[in-house]
Amino acid sequence: MRYLTIALAKGRLGKIFDIFEHMGIDCAEMRDKDTRKLIFTNEEYKLKFILSKASDVPTYVEYGAADIGIVGKDTILEEGRKLFEVIDLDMAKCRMCVIGPESSAELLKHKELIRVATKYPNIAKDYFYNQKHQTVEIIKLHGSVELAPIVGLSEVIVDIVETGSTLKANGLQVLEEICPLSARMVVNQVSMKMEKERITKLITEVRAYLQSKKDA
Ligand code: PRP
């Protein structure tokens, strides 16, 4: 039997390991934040876990280097890769929002030509151009995006809000909500056919785990 490869986003996975541990897969080594290892093998279940940067998970899955991936809906939308999204894991829940100082609310309302800084240019483009029909200039940043409106790089940002504490600490607020987000399980389109039985079994087990959590 060949290994099924599961790509996980490095860093924010605490709850996701709970799912695999519930199935009897030991994740202690992967949970260790100090480990430099990127590949973990489980001989009993013939599973291989790879830890990649979140934004690369859809790439590994589309090309079949991983059969399955677990990744945020934000990354799925931004990367636009060809894959099957099979389960909403109802974990790592947050919102994609347009954020700015209160003064920027008027600029949005009147559809002014504003600058939008973001780590998610494709999501921002789709929202402003296709949904709001507002022409904007999108500026790609790689992190600490909240800085942009404070130092005058942009009028607003498009970013994730989880607890809202980053916004608050920087005197910004949610001006518009784009969509809710959560972690999803995705599957390579060929693997879904070739490994149908094993993948369907895994999906069923994950669904049962999620249901048992809901019922508890
Ligand atoms: C994310 C996001 C916000 C923050 C939101 O940043 O870009 O900055 O978390 O969370 P909160 O609402 O709970 O405060 P991340 O931690 O990924 O760091 P980054 O800014 O370097 O991307």
Side-chain angles (χ1 to χ4, degrees):
M1 188 160 54
R2 79 167 184 97
Y3 287 96
L4 271 189
T5 301
I6 304 178
L8 303 174
K10 233 183 335 185
R12 336 169 153 231
L13 289 165
K15 286 234 177 71
I16 281 146
F17 289 131
D18 292 353
I19 300 178
F20 295 108
E21 280 178 345
H22 182 80
M23 293 175 194
I25 298 162
D26 179 15
C27 297
E29 222 190 341
M30 284 189 277
R31 276 188 192 272
D32 177 4
K33 290 202 171 78
D34 295 326
T35 185
R36 310 299 293 170
K37 265 178 77 172
L38 299 173
I39 304 180
F40 301 84
T41 307
N42 181 296
E43 292 302 337
E44 191 187 344
Y45 292 84
K46 284 279 175 210
L47 290 177
K48 210 175 262 176
F49 291 91
I50 63 173
L51 301 189
S52 82
K53 202 171 150 65
S55 53
D56 294 334
V57 169
T59 311
Y60 283 102
V61 175
E62 181 185 289
Y63 284 92
D67 302 285
I68 294 168
I70 293 182
V71 67
K73 180 69 178 175
D74 51 321
T75 307
I76 297 172
L77 291 171
E78 183 60 27
E79 295 301 312
R81 294 282 175 184
K82 283 195 213 82
L83 32 82
F84 293 134
E85 189 184 311
V86 292
I87 310 180
D88 182 345
L89 297 169
D90 208 33
M91 293 174 177
K93 285 163 92 166
C94 48
R95 301 176 290 155
M96 185 63 75
C97 297
V98 180
I99 296 157
E102 202 181 348
S103 57
S104 290
E106 281 296 302
L107 305 174
L108 289 170
K109 208 166 133 194
H110 297 114
K111 303 203 169 173
E112 306 241 359
L113 175 56
I114 53 171
R115 287 193 290 194
V116 180
T118 185
K119 282 192 290 188
Y120 303 93
N122 293 326
I123 294 176
K125 206 183 294 168
D126 179 67
Y127 179 69
F128 280 100
Y129 282 76
N130 299 335
Q131 297 184 47
K132 285 202 67 179
H133 306 291
Q134 177 173 359
T135 305
V136 296
E137 184 183 343
I138 292 167
I139 302 170
K140 162 95 183 182
L141 290 179
H142 295 89
S144 305
V145 183
E146 290 80 5
L147 270 176
I150 298 171
V151 299
L153 176 66
S154 69
E155 282 76 21
V156 299
I157 61 175
V158 164
D159 202 11
I160 289 171
V161 179
E162 191 181 354
T163 60
S165 49
T166 311
L167 296 187
K168 219 166 150 200
N170 292 290
L172 302 171
Q173 52 184 258
V174 171
L175 301 173
E176 290 174 0
E177 191 171 320
I178 300 177
C179 62
L181 303 167
S182 56
R184 310 289 162 102
M185 181 179 279
V186 295
V187 178
N188 170 270
Q189 296 186 340
V190 176
S191 304
M192 197 67 189
K193 291 193 190 88
M194 304 300 285
E195 294 288 346
K196 191 163 185 254
E197 204 174 311
R198 291 172 78 196
I199 292 176
T200 306
K201 186 164 175 276
L202 187 70
I203 291 172
T204 308
E205 282 182 41
V206 173
R207 286 217 174 102
Y209 170 77
L210 296 175
Q211 192 57 47
S212 73
K213 291 283 285 178
K214 262 190 196 160
D215 297 342

